[in-house]
Amino acid sequence: MQKSVLVEIIRSLNKKEVREIQKWLQSPAHNQRQDVVRLFEYLVKTASDNQDDLLAKTAIWPVLFPGEPFDDARIRQTMYFLLKSMEEYLAFTELSKDTVHIQTVLLKVYRNRLLERPFRHMMEAARKRQQTSPYRNSIFLREQHILEQELYFYLGTRKRDLDINLQETTDALDLAYIADKLQIACRMLAHKSVNKQANYNMGLLEPTLEYVDEQGLLKEPAVAVYYYGYKALTEKEGDVFFTELEKCIFEHGHLFPLAELREIYLLAINYCVGRFNSGETDYAKRAFDLFRKGFEDNILLENNLISRFTFGNAIAFALRLKEYDWVEKFIQQFQHNLEEKYRRSVVHFNQSRLYFEKGDYDMAQRLLIQFEYDDMLLNIIAKTMLLKIYYEQGEFDAFESLLESMRIYLQRKEALDTHRKTAYKNLISIMKKLLHMNPYSKTQTERLRTLVVETNPLMERDWLLRQLDGRR
């Protein structure tokens, strides 16, 4: 029983839920078996102990049926009834939070019972709730369609020559479908960017995009934000569409629930990261503006936690723009929102970056040397920072030794994605040439400068060019 679904669910319950389920099981409307109550109380006490012997059916039996001979089928039946009762409770509590669903179900009940006045009162309440809803996302549009559909079914039971709301029903359905379709299309693109093997059939996406253009549906925020997001990610003139996406985010972001708004922000941020990595450095400012707004409004926190990648990317763009004060305040304010198992290494690493960018190489070097990062990418970036420090401070023996160490490290790390690994290998190759070139030879300098400009992919291109330009 240790690995049963029943035990897994009980282990997930908090104290309040345990109390509520106890009340639920004591109600004759939900359960009339005392063995089910006893089984729940026993499992609440023992499930968290992870002791197989306490969760064996033979150990549980005397608690449920003292003095009776063991019957496997009977205890399985008790387990089944408890599982069903708990599932009913969990479903009920979740559905109780959904006002829209409750109103829709009641509309259907009143309609089927031909209760005209209760139906109209409920429809009025549902429409008022829609009008006062703080959100205008695809879920809102879906709810709008459901209400129109219920009204259509109601009107259909009356005289057939009455005006009915078929146009409103189909318009609401179109908007809900289009918003959902564009949102899913953006998710597909996001997934394909991290999983190159993913291959999706986009179905009716192209005619949907054409329909949005033809019908002028971009006034609807739930349509516009994903339309511009998709177009930015797929069109050559993506910058035009991204500018519109930015406007939607900053002007209409409040019309989306927090979880969805976080997803929209990350879509936009990842777009900026891609353009920046392609050499379009002006996207650093646009990414930073999104990060700053996202953290100011707690949009980029999920369950009060920040992904270590989001934390690091925000700092990287801030440092690029020399926003040193912002970085210091950011680390101080949000370090406790990192997962505990990553917190020390992530904070330590980003403090090193801050010292490095401010030119305090001694402090940066001290921090980098005394800490070994478990994360492969952090290790590579930390080694790269040390390489730059050694070179700029003229510690060429240490520089050359670390170059070879990093070459071997990259060779062994098969898990690093091919594009990033190639970019770092190219960096090591060019750094070796930089170390051994004649600093007084303009020909060698220009030849290496051309190589830096033309090599792709390549990490630290700007830093390499600064070293070469300093030799002119």
Side-chain angles (χ1 to χ4, degrees):
M1 194 167 171
Q2 169 78 289
K3 297 181 180 179
S4 74
V5 172
L6 185 59
V7 171
E8 189 174 344
I9 293 173
I10 287 176
R11 283 173 176 161
S12 75
L13 301 175
N14 58 40
K15 291 181 180 179
K16 181 177 183 293
E17 289 169 331
V18 168
R19 290 195 301 271
E20 293 298 323
I21 292 177
Q22 285 173 329
K23 294 176 186 176
W24 180 274
L25 294 176
Q26 294 289 351
S27 167
H30 305 301
N31 171 56
Q32 297 182 11
R33 297 174 56 122
Q34 284 306 304
D35 57 330
V36 169
V37 176
R38 288 195 294 270
L39 177 59
F40 178 73
E41 291 173 348
Y42 178 85
L43 291 178
V44 166
K45 292 176 183 176
T46 58
S48 60
D49 294 338
N50 290 315
Q51 294 185 39
D52 290 352
D53 56 336
L54 293 177
L55 294 175
K57 284 185 282 186
T58 50
I60 298 172
W61 176 265
V63 177
L64 304 184
F65 309 106
E68 297 186 36
F70 180 78
D71 185 338
D72 187 72
R74 191 175 176 189
I75 194 171
R76 283 180 178 275
Q77 188 181 55
T78 305
M79 291 167 58
Y80 170 80
F81 281 119
L82 176 56
L83 178 61
K84 290 300 139 189
S85 291
M86 288 176 59
E87 287 178 338
E88 287 172 6
Y89 163 81
L90 293 171
F92 174 79
T93 52
E94 193 61 32
L95 289 172
S96 298
K97 301 173 189 174
D98 190 344
T99 306
V100 177
H101 183 78
I102 292 172
Q103 288 179 329
T104 304
V105 169
L106 283 171
L107 283 169
K108 184 176 181 179
V109 169
Y110 294 150
R111 174 170 56 79
N112 288 336
R113 289 173 177 265
L114 303 179
L115 297 173
E116 183 170 329
R117 190 157 47 162
F119 180 91
R120 288 188 171 277
H121 284 172
M122 185 55 64
M123 179 60 73
E124 184 180 346
R127 289 204 181 282
K128 185 176 181 180
R129 175 192 45 74
Q130 283 290 94
Q131 291 169 4
T132 58
S133 171
Y135 303 129
R136 291 294 184 274
N137 61 337
S138 62
I139 295 173
F140 170 88
L141 297 175
R142 225 177 298 148
E143 292 166 354
Q144 191 69 27
H145 167 249
I146 291 170
L147 289 182
E148 293 294 347
Q149 189 166 252
E150 279 300 323
L151 181 59
Y152 164 74
F153 289 140
Y154 166 75
L155 294 173
T157 63
R158 299 165 67 80
K159 293 181 180 180
R160 292 183 177 273
D161 59 348
L162 285 176
D163 287 338
I164 52 178
N165 63 327
L166 279 173
Q167 188 61 57
E168 291 83 354
T169 303
T170 192
D171 288 347
L173 176 61
D174 285 345
L175 277 179
Y177 167 79
I178 290 166
D180 271 338
K181 183 67 176 178
L182 295 177
Q183 183 179 19
I184 292 170
C186 288
R187 287 172 177 168
M188 287 176 168
L189 291 179
H191 186 237
K192 285 174 71 174
S193 70
V194 296
N195 182 358
K196 305 302 180 185
Q197 304 303 315
N199 185 24
Y200 295 113
N201 178 350
M202 305 301 271
L204 296 173
L205 181 61
E206 284 306 318
T208 300
L209 292 167
E210 292 173 8
Y211 187 79
V212 170
D213 288 331
E214 291 168 3
Q215 300 298 316
L217 300 181
L218 293 173
K219 292 179 182 178
E220 192 66 54
V223 173
V225 71
Y226 295 112
Y227 173 90
Y228 289 129
Y230 183 84
K231 286 283 193 176
L233 291 166
T234 57
E235 300 287 341
K236 289 182 179 178
E237 62 273 23
D239 184 73
V240 175
F241 294 109
F242 182 73
T243 298
E244 293 300 324
L245 174 61
E246 283 180 310
K247 287 181 185 176
C248 283
I249 290 173
F250 293 131
E251 292 178 12
H252 303 303
H254 63 285
L255 298 177
F256 296 87
L258 190 59
E260 186 173 354
L261 185 57
R262 184 184 309 112
E263 185 179 2
I264 294 167
Y265 263 74
L266 291 175
L267 182 154
I269 286 169
N270 289 335
Y271 176 83
C272 291
V273 171
R275 295 294 291 262
F276 177 80
N277 288 342
S278 298
E280 298 177 71
T281 54
D282 59 311
Y283 272 88
K285 175 68 166 60
R286 301 173 86 163
F288 176 65
D289 288 342
L290 287 163
F291 275 122
R292 180 164 52 188
K293 177 69 172 171
F295 283 115
E296 280 176 2
D297 296 342
N298 288 329
I299 294 164
L300 295 175
L301 276 69
E302 185 172 8
N303 298 322
N304 207 36
L305 291 174
I306 302 173
S307 153
R308 65 189 190 278
F309 306 110
T310 301
F311 189 92
N313 283 336
I315 289 174
F317 282 110
L319 291 176
R320 171 83 188 187
L321 300 169
K322 303 187 186 305
E323 295 277 355
Y324 303 138
D325 290 344
W326 186 89
V327 172
E328 287 181 3
K329 291 176 184 175
F330 175 76
I331 293 175
Q332 182 65 29
Q333 181 178 352
F334 289 104
Q335 60 180 302
H336 302 295
N337 299 101
L338 289 162
E339 286 186 74
E340 189 173 355
K341 63 181 176 180
Y342 301 119
R343 187 177 301 151
R344 185 165 175 260
S345 61
V346 171
V347 170
H348 186 281
F349 172 77
N350 284 291
Q351 285 174 332
S352 304
R353 295 166 89 184
L354 176 60
Y355 283 122
F356 176 83
E357 293 297 334
K358 291 174 72 173
D360 190 343
Y361 292 164
D362 290 340
M363 182 60 77
Q365 184 173 338
R366 196 177 310 148
L367 289 173
L368 289 167
I369 289 174
Q370 74 181 28
F371 205 90
E372 185 71 18
Y373 300 100
D374 294 331
D375 185 279
M376 178 173 57
L377 189 54
L378 289 192
N379 245 323
I380 293 171
I381 298 172
K383 291 178 189 296
T384 303
M385 271 196 284
L386 275 174
L387 282 170
K388 293 192 290 185
I389 290 171
Y390 290 151
Y391 185 84
E392 292 191 26
Q393 293 192 325
E395 298 178 35
F396 298 124
D397 288 342
F399 178 82
E400 191 166 22
S401 175
L402 184 55
L403 270 179
E404 180 59 17
S405 169
M406 189 167 168
R407 183 190 69 77
I408 295 170
Y409 183 84
L410 285 172
Q411 192 170 324
R412 291 175 177 170
K413 297 299 178 182
E414 296 180 2
L416 188 65
D417 75 83
T418 306
H419 184 273
R420 198 183 295 271
K421 182 181 284 192
T422 302
Y424 276 109
K425 283 183 175 179
N426 289 338
L427 171 63
I428 290 171
S429 174
I430 291 176
M431 278 184 160
K432 284 183 178 179
K433 290 180 171 61
L434 179 65
L435 178 63
H436 296 297
M437 69 175 283
N438 182 348
Y440 303 105
S441 170
K442 289 185 179 180
T443 303
Q444 289 185 32
T445 301
E446 287 305 315
R447 188 180 299 139
L448 187 55
R449 193 178 197 284
T450 301
L451 182 63
V452 171
V453 170
E454 295 179 353
T455 298
N456 278 304
L458 177 65
M459 291 294 182
E460 302 293 343
R461 194 189 310 274
D462 289 348
W463 180 85
L464 290 166
L465 290 173
R466 285 200 302 273
Q467 308 317 305
L468 291 169
D469 289 343
R471 295 184 176 217
R472 288 181 168 182

